[in-house]
Amino acid sequence: YVNKTMGAVMDLGRETDPLTRDDIVIYEHLATHLGSAYQNVRHAYTQDVSAKNSLHLLRTWQQLSKVYTSSEINHTIMKLASEITVVKHTLVWLYDEFKVDPIVSTSNSATYTVFQNLYKLGIISEYLNQFDPQLHPLIIWLGRSNARNIGELFQVMEGQQLVLVAIKDEARLMGCILVSSNSSEQISAEYISQLEGIAHAAGQTLERNTLISYKDRQTERLEAITRSIKDGIFFVTEQQDIVFCNPQFTELTGISPSNVLNNPVQSLLQKLADQSDQPEVAMQNLENALEQIMNEDLDQEYPIVEINIPSIDSHLYIEFISSSSESNSNEQHSWIGVLRSSDRIITTESQLS
């Protein structure tokens, strides 16, 4: 087809009836038509596989978006890889930072047993070392030089060809997908690409879940700290909504968290000002402090507003502290409000003295 050789047609003439030039012209036409037909079939096949791969990859992302533990991710990857037409058996393993042995999912128990034995003997590690620096898929054929010591794995996975695909993030190997081919066909480049798509989605999911877990742990620590200190604390997002306040905040202000959480910070400032003996002056001072924190000047100290609360015979000090890492006058900042009462300041000073 054009300049690409796809095959050949051969006709063996008899000695008593040799082929003529006219006969050969007929075969040339036949070969041309066969080349065009084969090219069309290959093109249609490639398009069909590509369309199926895209749909399968979409399902992969949809299913992985619903799982969060390593075991769930592992099992989901195993099922998705097993759905590929040319795949006979599948084994997936993931490394867990809290466990010595990898988390393994497989389509049959015999494969699991053989893999565990090979892993403990260090043979699996030898194959991982055959990956190139970019961790491209590794194709292993039964009987070839790169298939030493894993004949039993070929036997339980019932294939002549094994494909090992790395599950990775930007910096590390997180696990692998190992599949065998059906006896009737090999795993072509299109299907290996599909396996790589599943592995990529798995790597992104694991990285996402690691970040979520880290963020949750940090949030838990932060909440533990804010609940243990004597000051009232509230957090304000870039959208100027209140997302957290500790118990001491309610103790100092008498304002229930349910009345301010997920509401604009202006509503809280108004509630604080309304408790003052001079609500209008207090509100003006609070708005000035808010404007100062929004137009953050690193050369100035964070603003502190004093409000006299007659109902509790105390003064309330509210400090505005920016929590944004960068200052940009065109954007609003997240910030933290710290509340202290005058009687607690006096008590603290007397204890220190």
Side-chain angles (χ1 to χ4, degrees):
Y1 183 81
V2 190
N3 294 324
K4 184 176 181 180
T5 301
M6 294 179 166
V9 177
M10 181 174 67
D11 189 4
L12 302 176
R14 289 170 296 188
E15 185 177 359
T16 57
D17 187 18
L19 294 173
T20 66
R21 178 60 190 167
D22 292 337
D23 294 328
I24 295 174
V25 169
I26 294 174
Y27 285 108
E28 286 180 336
H29 284 299
L30 175 61
T32 300
H33 288 302
L34 284 174
S36 297
Y38 184 52
Q39 175 66 19
N40 291 337
V41 169
R42 288 185 61 179
H43 182 66
Y45 170 78
T46 302
Q47 283 190 319
D48 182 59
V49 171
S50 178
K52 289 179 179 178
N53 287 356
S54 297
L55 289 174
H56 193 262
L57 188 57
L58 177 61
R59 286 185 55 249
T60 297
W61 283 105
Q62 289 173 336
Q63 293 192 27
L64 287 175
S65 67
K66 302 174 185 177
V67 294
Y68 293 92
T69 67
S70 296
S71 297
E72 290 174 333
I73 294 171
N74 209 40
H75 185 66
T76 302
I77 299 168
M78 190 272 295
K79 289 201 303 181
L80 289 165
S82 298
E83 292 172 1
I84 297 176
T85 308
V86 297
V87 169
K88 179 73 172 180
H89 289 297
T90 306
L91 182 142
V92 179
W93 76 89
L94 295 174
Y95 299 112
D96 191 313
E97 59 180 319
F98 302 109
K99 297 180 180 179
V100 176
D101 296 326
I103 301 169
V104 181
S105 293
T106 182
S107 52
N108 65 52
S109 57
T111 301
Y112 176 84
T113 302
V114 171
F115 171 81
Q116 291 287 22
N117 292 335
L118 294 174
Y119 187 85
K120 290 175 181 178
L121 292 171
I123 294 173
I124 298 299
S125 296
E126 292 178 6
Y127 279 86
L128 297 181
N129 291 333
Q130 294 184 29
F131 276 125
D132 62 22
Q134 289 73 41
L135 299 179
H136 290 130
L138 184 64
I139 301 174
I140 309 167
W141 290 93
L142 179 63
R144 296 193 182 176
S145 60
N146 68 339
R148 295 190 304 271
N149 304 321
I150 58 170
E152 195 176 359
L153 196 57
F154 276 99
Q155 183 178 353
V156 293
M157 296 191 75
E158 301 178 280
Q160 301 294 310
Q161 177 194 30
L162 300 180
V163 177
L164 188 63
V165 181
I167 300 172
K168 57 186 178 180
D169 61 11
E170 295 297 327
R172 56 187 174 144
L173 178 68
M174 308 175 81
C176 284
I177 303 172
L178 178 67
V179 299
S180 62
S181 62
N182 284 319
S183 56
S184 60
E185 51 188 324
Q186 68 179 35
I187 302 176
S188 63
E190 293 87 356
Y191 292 112
I192 292 176
S193 176
Q194 190 173 351
L195 287 167
E196 287 185 287
I198 295 173
H200 175 71
Q204 293 293 304
T205 301
L206 288 165
E207 190 171 15
R208 175 204 69 189
N209 292 349
T210 299
L211 292 173
I212 290 174
S213 176
Y214 176 78
K215 183 178 179 181
D216 288 343
R217 290 198 298 268
Q218 292 295 90
T219 301
E220 290 172 0
R221 291 170 186 161
L222 180 60
E223 287 191 9
I225 293 171
T226 56
R227 292 179 189 281
S228 66
I229 61 179
K230 294 183 178 181
D231 297 333
I233 302 287
F234 62 91
F235 295 162
V236 181
T237 67
E238 290 88 348
Q239 292 74 36
Q240 301 306 295
D241 294 327
I242 299 173
V243 291
F244 174 82
C245 52
N246 65 352
Q248 291 80 351
F249 165 86
T250 301
E251 183 182 340
L252 290 171
T253 64
I255 299 173
S256 172
S258 61
N259 293 331
V260 293
L261 285 178
N262 300 315
N263 289 326
V265 70
Q266 284 289 345
S267 64
L268 170 60
L269 299 183
Q270 188 62 60
K271 291 179 187 297
L272 292 172
D274 290 343
Q275 296 185 28
S276 170
D277 56 351
Q278 295 180 299
E280 293 183 1
V281 174
M283 189 62 188
Q284 184 62 53
N285 290 338
L286 289 170
E287 288 181 339
N288 290 341
L290 180 58
E291 183 179 357
Q292 183 178 335
I293 202 71
M294 289 299 102
N295 301 313
E296 184 181 3
D297 185 350
L298 298 180
D299 294 331
Q300 296 183 6
E301 294 183 355
Y302 292 124
I304 300 176
V305 176
E306 178 183 358
I307 299 178
N308 182 33
I309 311 293
S311 60
I312 59 174
D313 192 25
S314 177
H315 291 265
L316 198 63
Y317 297 90
I318 306 169
E319 183 175 2
F320 294 67
I321 302 174
S322 173
S323 61
S324 299
S325 58
E326 297 181 359
S327 177
N328 189 333
S329 59
N330 296 323
E331 297 180 1
Q332 292 184 312
H333 307 297
S334 60
W335 56 280
I336 302 170
V338 180
L339 293 85
R340 303 181 182 91
S341 66
S342 57
D343 57 337
R344 287 195 175 183
I345 293 175
I346 293 171
T347 301
T348 303
E349 289 178 347
S350 63
Q351 289 174 344
L352 290 173
S353 62

